[in-house]
Each structure stands twice: as C-alpha cells, then as structure tokens.
Amino acid sequence: MTNTAQSALVPMGNRGLGLGFSGNLGNIDAYISAVNRLPMLTHEEEVSLARALREKNDLNAAQKLVMSHLRLVVSIARGYLGYGLPHADLIQEGNIGLMKAVKRFDPNQGVRLVSYAMHWIKAEMHEYILKNWRLVKVATTKAQRKLFFNLRSNKVGLDAMSPTQIDEMAKMLDVKREEVIEMETRLSGRDIALEAPTDDDGEDKFSPIAYLSSDSQEPTRVLEAEQRDRLHSEGLETALSKLDPRSRRIIEARWLANDDGSGATLHTLAEEFGVSAERIRQIESAALKKMKGALAAYV
C-alpha cells in the first residue's frame, strides 16, 4: 500500500478516526454506529478486491477492504477496555494494524482476511497498551508480554492471588510460579509522581522526592568533602611551613590575602622587597612548586 493509500486511511481530525467517512461523526459512539452499518464483503468480493490491490495496486480496493472490517477492530478493542485506556485510541491503533494486514494479505492462501487481520490488530493494540499503561515498562520481552496479557485476562478480581491460584496460573500458562508472582506485583502496582503536583497547595501533599536521601550524605561525597577540608586547613598550613619567610609572604600576599583571588601584584611586592617583578615571579613559581610537593600527601 503506498503512502497515498495510507494518507487516505490514517487519522485526519474528526473524520471518523480518519477512515474516509464524510461529515462529522461527533464522538466515538457515532463512529461505532457508523462502522456497524458498513456492508460486509462476501468471500468472492474480498478475493477480487485483494487481488486488485495486490496485482494492480488498486487503492480503492484497499479502502473497501479496510472499511468492511472496521467493525472487527471495534469488537477487538472492547476486550481491552479494562486497561483504562481511551476506547477511541485503542480503535485507532487497531485500525493501523488492520491497514497493515490489508497491505500484506494474500488471497491465494485460502484464508479469510478477518482471520489474518486479527493478529495485526491485536499486535498494534498490545504495543499501544504496553507503552501507555504505565510510565515504567511492565513487559519488555516476548515471554513477558504473553504473560502480561494472559494474566490480565485470566485473573479473577482485584485481590492478590493465593498460592494455589498462582500455581494453577503458572501451570495453565506454562511458566514458573515466580514469573507469575513478579508480573502480578507489577500489575497491582501504580505509578506515583516523584514530585507533588505544582497546582496542589495543600500542606499535607505527598511528595516521594522529599524522602530521598541527600546527595551530600552520599559516602563518596562525604569523603571528598573531608579530603577537601584537610587540604584547605592542615595541608595548606603544612605546605606554607616548608617555605622561607620571603616566599611565604609572597604566596600569602598573592593568593591568600583575599577570597576573590585579587591578591597583590608582582610590582607591588617588587617594591616591598627591593627586587624586580621578574624576580618575584621566579620566587613565586619555585614556592608553588615546593608547596605542590608537600600537598601530594593530602590528595
């Protein structure tokens, strides 16, 4: 099916979920009523249209095949309403699966389109449910996906399953009981926002982020802070003690006099000691090198 055919079938505003209906259907109930009135195809008509699409790329044939099976999508979507997702969205995803099925359908295989399309329709709905049912993915492998949907459809009620029920479910689905327990735990959980809603001014609002430990108490951060404090106090004093009085005076005036780093200039210290600015720079460089060696024990 070409892009032109797909553009004629995919969502377009409020035109009956974008499947070529004329007029404004208004809501999901009107859409369902409309698709249920669409005529169904006989086996001969279905084969003829499918061959026209396959052999001649007849886009009108493709649309007729899709339109005649929209009620199938609606019927399948009803079975997934228990996941709490919008009915219209489920139908929309199912329609995409139906279009994929029509595109790939081979009338020469002797299978009716309704049987072939069910796989594609359910596959699209399953993908949509797994992506939108929880913020955190609950089933990431093929086996987990199968367990997810089977457990949802076979579990009775909302209460936790008993050990006997778990064993029966594991036997029926041919999986380990631990896998059933894990998936049931995921299904029974719910999403909680890490931060409280911004529009909630109540004093008793729950915000899980407030109960998280502070980064400042993380062991590595604590050790780094302690090492930094030792370097600033004990280490710096030890390094300065290794210098002669003139070198210490130059380092303190240049680097330790002000917190903003605006220490004395080379020319100011040159006048104080009666030497050139270049000589002050040489003394400073040698002093810093000597201090670096003394500070190595604290790093």
Side-chain angles (χ1 to χ4, degrees), residues 166-267:
I166 292 174
D167 291 334
E168 292 175 352
M169 188 70 69
K171 183 178 180 180
M172 180 176 64
L173 301 179
D174 193 24
V175 296
K176 298 178 181 178
R177 71 185 313 274
E178 291 77 12
E179 295 179 86
V180 176
I181 295 173
E182 180 183 2
M183 185 57 68
E184 187 197 19
T185 303
R186 294 184 182 185
L187 292 174
S188 61
R190 64 186 181 90
D191 295 329
I192 300 178
L194 186 61
E195 296 181 344
T198 55
D199 57 351
D200 185 0
D201 297 327
E203 296 181 359
D204 58 346
K205 60 184 178 181
F206 175 75
S207 178
I209 196 171
Y211 296 90
L212 297 179
S213 60
S214 171
D215 286 344
S216 62
Q217 299 304 315
E218 198 271 326
T220 303
R221 298 284 184 91
V222 173
L223 291 175
E224 289 177 350
E226 292 178 353
Q227 186 181 55
R228 186 167 55 250
D229 292 342
R230 288 184 61 224
L231 186 64
H232 287 173
S233 55
E234 180 183 344
L236 183 59
E237 185 58 37
T238 300
L240 288 172
S241 67
K242 303 293 184 181
L243 304 178
D244 60 82
R246 183 173 64 172
S247 297
R248 178 166 181 161
R249 164 63 184 150
I250 292 173
I251 293 298
E252 289 178 338
R254 290 276 290 158
W255 300 101
L256 304 177
N258 298 309
D259 293 335
D260 60 2
S262 58
T265 65
L266 295 175
H267 292 285

Side-chain angles (χ1 to χ4, degrees), residues 85-97:
L85 297 172
H87 194 187
D89 289 350
L90 288 168
I91 293 175
Q92 184 69 74
E93 297 300 319
N95 287 342
I96 294 174

Side-chain angles (χ1 to χ4, degrees), residues 40-52 65 107 112:
M40 299 181 68
L41 300 174
T42 65
H43 180 52
E44 290 74 18
E45 290 173 331
E46 180 181 296
V47 171
S48 176
L49 290 170
R51 285 176 177 168
L65 288 169
R112 292 296 301 267

